[in-house]
Amino acid sequence: MRLPLPLLLVFLAQQCVHASSPAKRSHSTHDYYVLEHNPLAGATLEECTGELGVELVEQVGELRNVWLVRSAKLMSAFSPREVTGSDQVLRRFEDLLALSVHATSLYPRAAARARAHRISSSIRHLSPQIPRQRIKRDGSFLERAPPAVKPGDSQLNSEVIADRLGFVDPLFTKQWHIVNDEYPEHMMNVTGVWEMGFTGEGIITSLVDDGLDYRSRDLAGNFDAENSYDFNDHTDLPTPVLSDDHHGTRCAGQIAAVKNDVCGVGLAYESKVAGVRILSGPITDVDEAAALNYGFQNVSIYSCSWGPPDDGRSMEAPGYIIEKAVVNGILNGRAGKGSIFVFASGNGASSGDQCNFDGYTNSIYSVTVSAVDFKGLHPYYSEPCAANMVVAYSSGSGQHIVTTDVGEDKCSSAHGGTSAAAPNAAGVFALALQARPDLTWRDIQHICVKTAQMINPEDPDWELMASGQKYSYKYGFGQLNAYAYVQAAQDWQLVKPQAWFHPAAMQINNGTLLTENGDMEGGQPIVSGGVTSSFMVTQDMLDTHNFEGLEHLTIRVWISHTKRGDVEVELTSPNGIRSVLAAKRDYDRAASGFRGWRFMTIKHWGENAVGTWTIKVSDQSTEGHSGTFYGWRLMFWGSTIDPAGAQTYTLPLSEYQLPSLVDDDAVIVPTPTSSKSHPKPTSGLPDDHGTAEGEADKPAFPSTSSTATMTPTPDEGWFSDMSNLVSSQKWFFGAIGAVVLFGVGAGVFFWRRRAKHRAYAALSAGDELPMNSVSREGRPRAKELYDAFGEVSDDDADEETRLQPGGQTSEGLGFHSEFLDDDEPSSATVYRDNPEKGHDASPDVRSISPGSGSGDGSWEHASETH
Ligand SMILES: *[C@@H]1O[C@H](CO)[C@@H](O)[C@H](O)[C@H]1NC(C)=O
Ligand SMILES: *[C@@H]1O[C@H](CO)[C@@H](O)[C@H](O)[C@H]1NC(C)=O
Ligand SMILES: *[C@@H]1O[C@H](CO)[C@@H](O)[C@H](O)[C@H]1NC(C)=O
C-alpha cells in the first residue's frame, strides 16, 4: 500500500497548523466532540467529519491531528437537553463501525464496507465534550482579616537583607518563606540566588488557575499577555471576574511579584507570568488539554494547584486527551526539552487522602510538591504519597504565605495550602532555568532528588532507599532549597534520554478484566495477611530495552473490593525497599475497586531494578467486606544506556486492560468525556489551615504490615510467557532494523494496522475472544514497529486505537474533574455538602458509557487514567 499523494499533502499541511486563539464555544446551540484523526488510515479529515455530520472548529491546542468538531443541537421544544443522550454523531460512528466490521452480513456490500472501514479506522478517538457547571464553595477564611504576623526576635535579618538588596516592598519582611527571621532554617533560601544574579529573567511561568490580575501594580510589569488566555470566558486576557477569583493572582505573586513599592516580591521577581484561566467555570477536556500546552514553546513552567477532590474518597485521573496534552508538552514543549508541570499534592491528608489517588499528582510528568510550614513541620492538610517529590513552604503553625492579591495594590496574608507550595517550587525552577535553560523536564526532577534537604530527620516517616538517600511520603526527598538547587543546576550534566521497560501485566490465577462491563474474573481472594505476587527482572530484560538508571515506577493494579478504602497496596523491591502505594482511606467506601488504576513511586529512584519485585495487597479484614486481586503491571521508567537508541514515547490508549495489550491495540470505548469543572483550589480550606500546629513525629502510613504473609502462587504460566515475549521482542528489534533498511517501512506499517483491525473486529463482534489471544500474538512486534516510526507523528498517531462505542471500560475519560483544593482538610463532608453538580447533571452521558461520570471516585475513574 502506498500513501496517495493528496493524503500526504493533507498530512503535511496538518503539521503546520498553528494553534491560534481558541474559538468561542457555543454549547447552547451545538454539541462538541473531540476527534482524533489518523491521516495514515486512508480517509481525510473532511471525509471523517462529513461522515459524522460534524463541522470542524479548530485543532485542539497544540495536539496535532486532534480536532474540536461540533454539530448543531437538535432542539426539541419539550426537552432541549435530551439531545446529547441520543447522540446523532456517536450513533453515526457506531453505525460506521458496525458496517465496517460485520463481515458476516448476508449482503456483503464490499465497497460500502471498505469505505466504512477506511473512514472509521481514520477516527482514532471520538468523544463528546460536555462542560459542567462548576461547583462553588465559599472559601470564607479568605475574607477574614489576615492574622497578625508575629514579629520575631531577629526581624533584623530580613530588614538587613531588604536594605542590602534594595527592596522597598512593604511586605518583604513579612514574607517568611523568603527570609524566616524566627526559624531561619525554614525558608526557600532564595536571596543568595538573587545575589548570584538570577532573578528569573527570560523565563515564563503559566499559572493554570482562576485568572491573574495583570492590573495589579505588583504584577503588571511581569505579565505576559501573549501567552495568557481565558478558557472560561474565551477571551484573551485572564481577568479575574468572580468574587473568589483570587487564587491564581496570589500564586502568580509568589513567583513573579515585581520588586517595587507594592506588597512583597516573587521568588523569581524578574521572570514573567502568564495566566490561563480554567477554574472559574465549566470547562471541557479539550480546553484543559489546550490550556496545558498554551504557549508551550515560550512558556517553561505550568504551575497547577488543583486536582480531584481531596475528600479521601475520590480516585480520578486525567482523561485521554488531557494526558495526551501532557505527553505532548513533555515531548515537544520548550523546543523539545519538555514543559515543566508542577502540581500541588493536595490538601486532604486529614481525610486520609493520598496523592497516589490523584492521576495528576501521581503522573511521572509532574513534579509533585507538598507543603511544610513556618516551623518546618508537616501541616495536617498536606497529602503524603510515594509520588511526592519535594516540599516547599506554605501555611501552618500560625503563619500563611504573604503575597499579591487581586486589585491594583492589594496584598494577601491568608494564602496557603499545598497550592501555595507548588508556586514556590515553580519560582525556584524559573531561577534554575535562567541559569540553565537547557535543562530537560527530567533534569528538573533529578536536581530535586539530588538537592532536596532532609528536614526533621527524627521523623519516623523517613525511610532508607537503596541509593542510601532517605525518602518520606510526607516530604518526598525533602525541602526544596533554592540556593542548593540553582547551584547544582549551574554545572549539572544533562541526563540521557528517557527509556522505559513495560512488561505485560501479571495475572493472578488468570485474572482478567472482561471488557464488556468491566467485571473481572479469576484472581485470588484477599485473605487475612494479604496476597502477594512477584515479578522477576533480569539484566537481560533491561539491556533489551536500553534501560538503566531507574527513576519512576508506575504500577497498575486490578483489584475488586466491596470497600475500596480498606485496600492496602505495597511494593517491595529486590533490595527490600518498601513503597506504600495505597494506605487505608476511611472515607472511601466505593465498591468499585481498582480496574487498572495507576500508582506511582519514586522511592526506588536510582535503585538497581534487577531481581524480584513483590506486590502485596491486603485489606482490613473488616467483617462483611472482601475483595479479590486479579493482576498488576509494573512499569519501569529511567534513562537509556545508549542515547542513540532512544525512542519517542507514545501514549497508549489501553493500559487499563488485563491482560495487558502490549501493543496497545485495544478497542477503545468512546467515553463521553465530560469535563466537570475544577473546584477552586482554596475552596474547602478550613479557616485554621494556617494556625494549626504541624507535626514531625508520625509516619504518614502507620506501619502497614509487618505481619506474616501468606503467599499464593502467582500465575507462573503467564510469567514464563512473559519472558518469551521479551526475548521475541529482542529478535524483533533485529528484524525491524532490516525492515527499515529495506525501506519497506510503510508496508509494515499498514500490515500492522490491518492486524489491529482484525483484532478489533473480532472484539467488537462480541465474540468472547479471550483477551489473552489478543494480547499475545505478535503484539510486541507491532509496538516496536510503531516506535520505529515515532517520528512520523509523535502524537502517537497511529498506534493505538480508537474508541469504540459501546461502552466498556474505558479509558478515556474525562473525569478529571474536580480539583483539589488546596487545602482541604475539610473532610469528606465538605465535599458532600457541595455535590458535584456535574455528575448529577449528566445522566445522559452515563447512559452512553458506564465509564464516565461519577465523581465519587468510582473505579471508572481509574480506568481513565493512563
Ligand atoms: C542558603 O543560602 C546560602 C547563600 O545565601 C548558603 O550559604 C546556604 O548554605 C544555604 N543554605 C542551605 C541549607 O543550603
Ligand atoms: C516566543 O518567543 C519568540 C522569541 O523570543 C518570539 O519571537 C515569539 O513571538 C514568542 N511567541 C510567543 C507565542 O510568545
Ligand atoms: C489458566 O488458564 C490456563 C489456560 O487457559 C489453564 O491451563 C490454567 O489451568 C488456568 N489456571 C487457573 C489457576 O485457572
Side-chain angles (χ1 to χ4, degrees), residues 508-511 522-523 713 715 717-718 772 776:
I508 310 292
N509 291 338
N510 292 344
T713 325
D715 184 349
W718 175 249
N772 309 7
R776 296 183 189 185

Side-chain angles (χ1 to χ4, degrees), residues 237-251:
L237 290 174
T239 316
V241 175
L242 308 176
S243 63
D244 64 344
D245 279 351
H246 36 217
H247 183 264
T249 302
R250 293 173 179 183
C251 291

Side-chain angles (χ1 to χ4, degrees), residues 637-673:
W637 305 85
S639 67
T640 51
I641 299 169
D642 174 12
Q647 301 187 0
T648 300
Y649 182 68
T650 302
L651 182 68
L653 283 172
S654 55
E655 282 189 352
Y656 61 90
Q657 299 283 5
L658 180 69
S660 39
L661 305 186
V662 175
D663 182 18
D664 307 322
D665 251 349
V667 172
I668 303 255
V669 182
T671 311
T673 94

Side-chain angles (χ1 to χ4, degrees), residues 204 224 226-227 295 297-298:
I204 305 170
D224 176 16
E226 194 177 3
N227 292 301
Q297 290 312 333
N298 290 8

Side-chain angles (χ1 to χ4, degrees), residues 74 86 171 178 229 279 287 293 329 334 380 448 471 508 510 539 611 630 646 675 761 825:
L74 303 175
S86 56
L171 295 185
I178 295 179
Y229 190 74
L279 299 179
D287 283 350
N293 286 161
R334 224 163 39 99
Y380 69 93
C448 285
Y471 182 83
I508 310 292
N510 292 344
Q539 187 62 49
Y630 299 89
S675 357

